[in-house]
Amino acid sequence: MLIKIGFDIELGVTAPTALIYMLRVHPSRAADIQAGESFTISPPLATDHYTDAFSNHCARVHVPFGVSRVRLRNEAVVFDTGWPDPVSPAAIEHAPADLPVETLQFLLPSRYCEVDSELLQFAWGKFGGVPPGWQRVQAICDFVHGHLRFDYQSARATRTALEGYRERTGVCRDFTHLAITLCRCMNIPARYVTGYLGDIGVAPVPYPMDFSAWFEVYLGDRWHTFDARHNIPRIGRVVIARGRDAADVPITMVFGVNTLERFEVMTDEVLPVAA
């Protein structure tokens, strides 16, 4: 299948400043992009492109004196298999001593994932008796999915996994942070993913499209996709960035006073044209 993705984001800024964005499709999906991305910055501004420690495509925009608004737009068509997230019930869990060293950073506490908190004891009490591996991670997703209430009105950029656990509400990033933290408490490497996830194969939701957050865990010999917010295999995920938590993958970050003036996201299946 083909999926049309894109966004239109406008920020009011106080110049001079710098703006960092992570808005391009992740390099791991570059081969799936049909005819490239149509990325524009208005007004045209000098931009430095770079790759961060997690292999994400990032950019720094130089905003000079006299510029009060920066508009970022993009459109692309991405090929996708149309298959739901793979399910691998036989995927095994590794002891920390046996994990690939590059996965170890995803066991540690991070900005929004307080592994060294009351959640550590809770996780072992709640999931210690669940068979290790895929079944244990799914049990964590089941718990988080039932424990938190999804509510856009309660969204808060500073909410941590522990606060989400206590407040029992949040948006997709809060579901993801709590699930990641509980996995790490159980010595299962877990990393944060942000990207596009449209209403493909499911009933449309009654609120505006947004970027989505889910997570990946290392089981067996590879990373596997899990989603505590939806808690079912979904179709059409398009990764933008991966990191330890949301702090590593900000969609935009401005070094100074700024306001969000426009925010529109598009993720739609491209339907075949009738003959």
Side-chain angles (χ1 to χ4, degrees), residues 122 127 137-149 165 168 172 174-183 215 227-229 231:
F122 169 79
F127 308 109
V137 178
Q138 185 56 58
I140 289 171
C141 286
D142 292 343
F143 167 76
V144 174
H145 183 76
H147 185 76
L148 299 185
R149 177 178 57 86
Y165 169 75
R168 302 193 66 168
C172 59
D174 301 303
F175 284 74
T176 301
H177 283 147
L178 180 53
I180 286 174
T181 304
L182 294 173
C183 285
F215 69 109
D227 186 339
R229 159 71 180 98
N231 206 28

Side-chain angles (χ1 to χ4, degrees), residues 90-121:
I92 64 171
E93 182 179 321
H94 299 282
D98 298 325
L99 285 164
V101 293
E102 61 269 21
T103 69
L104 296 178
Q105 64 180 316
F106 299 107
L107 290 177
L108 304 177
S110 56
R111 166 69 178 85
Y112 293 105
C113 300
E114 311 102 319
V115 177
D116 50 349
S117 69
E118 67 187 63
L119 291 174
L120 181 62
Q121 183 176 358

Side-chain angles (χ1 to χ4, degrees), residues 44-144:
L45 298 171
T47 304
D48 304 313
H49 295 271
Y50 63 97
T51 301
D52 68 7
F54 303 103
S55 300
N56 301 313
H57 186 143
C58 314
R60 176 181 60 184
V61 180
H62 298 260
V63 184
F65 279 111
V67 174
S68 60
R69 291 175 182 268
V70 178
R71 190 173 181 181
L72 307 170
R73 285 176 285 184
N74 192 19
E75 281 191 8
V77 175
V78 180
F79 169 79
D80 191 81
T81 64
W83 302 336
D85 302 322
V87 177
S88 303
I92 64 171
E93 182 179 321
H94 299 282
D98 298 325
L99 285 164
V101 293
E102 61 269 21
T103 69
L104 296 178
Q105 64 180 316
F106 299 107
L107 290 177
L108 304 177
S110 56
R111 166 69 178 85
Y112 293 105
C113 300
E114 311 102 319
V115 177
D116 50 349
S117 69
E118 67 187 63
L119 291 174
L120 181 62
Q121 183 176 358
F122 169 79
W124 279 99
K126 181 75 173 179
F127 308 109
V130 178
W134 188 275
Q135 188 171 340
R136 178 173 283 169
V137 178
Q138 185 56 58
I140 289 171
C141 286
D142 292 343
F143 167 76
V144 174

